[in-house]
Amino acid sequence: YHSAGISFYKFFQYTMDEPNVLLLDMPASRLDGGAWQPREEALRLDNAIRRKLGYHLRTASMAQPYVDKSPDVRDHLLELRYNIRSQIHVSGAYLALEEPEFAEILLDGQLVKEETAGFFVDRAIKTIPMPSFGPGDHELLIRMAFGEKSDLEWCYLLGDFGVQVQGTQTTLIPRQDVLAWDSIVTQSLPFYGGNLTYQIPFSCTAGEYKLRVPNFCASVLGVEIDGKDRGIIAYSPYEADLGLLKSGNHLLKLTIYGNRINSFGQVHLKDDALTYFGPQTWRSTGDQWTYEYRLKPQGILSAPLLLRKND
């Protein structure tokens, strides 16, 4: 096989299997009506509150819920205040969070009707329809009954929007209509972890072809040509057999099967060399910690190569 000499488009349309994601992980907080405390990452905040209340920390050594049969007492009020900055009008969004049955949710001071409408990734993470809101800064307030068995975790806003990340600041922006060969993290999808399909039209002469995708970050890469499944790409040399193609126009679809590293992973961990990811890697300290987001590249990072069989 040799290079077919065909350059794929620099920009192309795409489809997503799931709504886009805004990670909400650094709220301001107050406990039992006390003074408001500055923004803090939720798991670090959980540690601080548990130390203050004399509770066990939620680490690898804590008992699983099915083992711990002690009463579930939640006699403290924890308020979490998130700022949602938006450049666009947002409608049809959902808030995803654990244990909404123990919480009261308000957006800009208005009570949100808590009608669960499914789940996000894990059945324990319920989704709540959110009211529409326009450009500007918005206050999301979650008042939760808190006790030793509470699960203080990250929350997620899900919807048809784009997200821009700058250091510790996130902003809702228009979602890009097209993508380039680059990480989707920098193309309005920084926290997205679902499947995404690139749609790539091209023309060629008749012949037998292979596709090589030398540079991608995904669990695996699915390949389809003109509606026919051509398998997956997972291992070197990162090629898929496209078979005999007729002369003319074709539509190549490449699906990155996503992973949740930028949605649920250690997005504040500075050490890229770690290979063991226990509970403490979400709660790193000192030089291992950063409030700025440390996101992993995702998607197809450079243009695929179309290879034609030698005549």
Side-chain angles (χ1 to χ4, degrees):
Y1 286 80
H2 64 279
S3 172
I6 295 173
S7 296
F8 290 117
Y9 292 99
K10 293 182 179 179
F11 300 95
F12 39 84
Q13 294 183 331
Y14 64 100
T15 57
M16 300 162 61
D17 284 7
E18 302 175 10
N20 199 15
V21 178
L22 171 66
L23 173 60
L24 300 171
D25 67 330
M26 287 196 286
S29 66
R30 68 175 176 179
L31 183 65
D32 294 330
W36 281 101
Q37 301 302 307
R39 291 176 70 203
E40 179 59 275
E41 188 273 328
L43 299 182
R44 293 164 70 90
L45 175 61
D46 183 70
N47 281 349
I49 293 174
R50 288 175 179 276
R51 290 189 180 102
K52 181 175 182 179
L53 298 177
Y55 294 163
H56 291 293
L57 300 185
R58 294 164 60 214
T59 62
S61 60
M62 94 177 271
Q64 292 296 321
Y66 56 83
V67 175
D68 185 358
K69 302 301 182 182
S70 61
D72 186 358
V73 178
R74 305 185 183 216
D75 53 0
H76 296 277
L77 175 63
L78 177 61
E79 295 175 89
L80 306 174
R81 187 174 64 196
Y82 299 88
N83 180 67
I84 299 176
R85 176 177 295 180
S86 182
Q87 296 180 1
I88 60 174
H89 181 82
V90 175
S91 62
Y94 292 84
L95 178 67
L97 74 165
E98 296 192 35
E99 301 186 326
E101 63 271 20
F102 293 106
E104 182 180 68
I105 302 168
L106 297 93
L107 181 65
D108 295 332
Q110 299 298 311
L111 189 65
V112 175
K113 191 174 183 180
E114 293 186 35
E115 293 183 348
T116 57
F119 65 93
F120 175 54
V121 181
D122 187 321
R123 291 184 183 276
I125 306 175
K126 309 293 197 309
T127 53
I128 308 292
M130 293 292 287
S132 301
F133 56 88
D137 285 353
H138 301 274
E139 180 187 274
L140 173 65
L141 181 64
I142 301 176
R143 295 175 176 153
M144 59 183 295
F146 190 85
E148 191 161 8
K149 289 192 172 183
S150 295
D151 290 326
L152 178 52
E153 297 283 355
W154 300 345
C155 302
Y156 304 85
L157 188 69
L158 313 176
D160 185 15
F161 46 69
V163 177
Q164 180 186 64
V165 175
Q166 294 176 297
T168 64
Q169 179 65 56
T170 59
T171 306
L172 298 180
I173 61 173
R175 181 170 60 84
Q176 291 185 200
D177 294 329
V178 294
L179 294 177
W181 303 120
D182 199 354
S183 173
I184 65 172
V185 168
T186 59
Q187 299 184 84
S188 77
L189 306 173
F191 303 113
Y192 183 70
N195 300 341
L196 181 150
T197 300
Y198 303 79
Q199 302 187 42
I200 309 158
F202 70 96
S203 298
C204 67
T205 58
E208 292 188 39
Y209 288 86
K210 285 185 178 181
L211 181 76
R212 180 181 297 158
V213 188
N215 192 10
F216 68 93
C217 289
S219 300
V220 294
L221 189 66
V223 181
E224 178 185 302
I225 185 76
D226 299 331
K228 296 180 181 179
D229 184 3
R230 304 306 298 181
I232 63 172
I233 296 175
Y235 305 109
S236 180
Y238 306 111
E239 293 180 352
D241 189 353
L242 300 183
L244 181 62
L245 300 182
K246 296 179 180 179
S247 180
N249 297 326
H250 301 275
L251 179 61
L252 174 67
K253 293 185 179 181
L254 300 178
T255 298
I256 57 169
Y257 287 89
N259 60 71
R260 308 295 176 175
I261 188 65
N262 290 335
S263 307
F264 295 90
Q266 298 88 339
V267 298
H268 298 287
L269 178 66
K270 289 177 65 176
D271 191 344
D272 294 328
L274 282 182
T275 56
Y276 171 71
F277 297 103
Q280 293 306 326
T281 60
W282 276 266
R283 299 169 173 83
S284 57
T285 58
D287 289 345
Q288 298 286 345
W289 172 264
T290 172
Y291 284 102
E292 291 74 23
Y293 292 105
R294 299 272 294 188
L295 304 175
K296 304 296 185 184
Q298 297 291 301
I300 300 177
L301 307 184
S302 61
L305 305 173
L306 191 63
L307 307 176
R308 190 178 190 277
K309 187 174 183 179
N310 297 324
D311 296 328

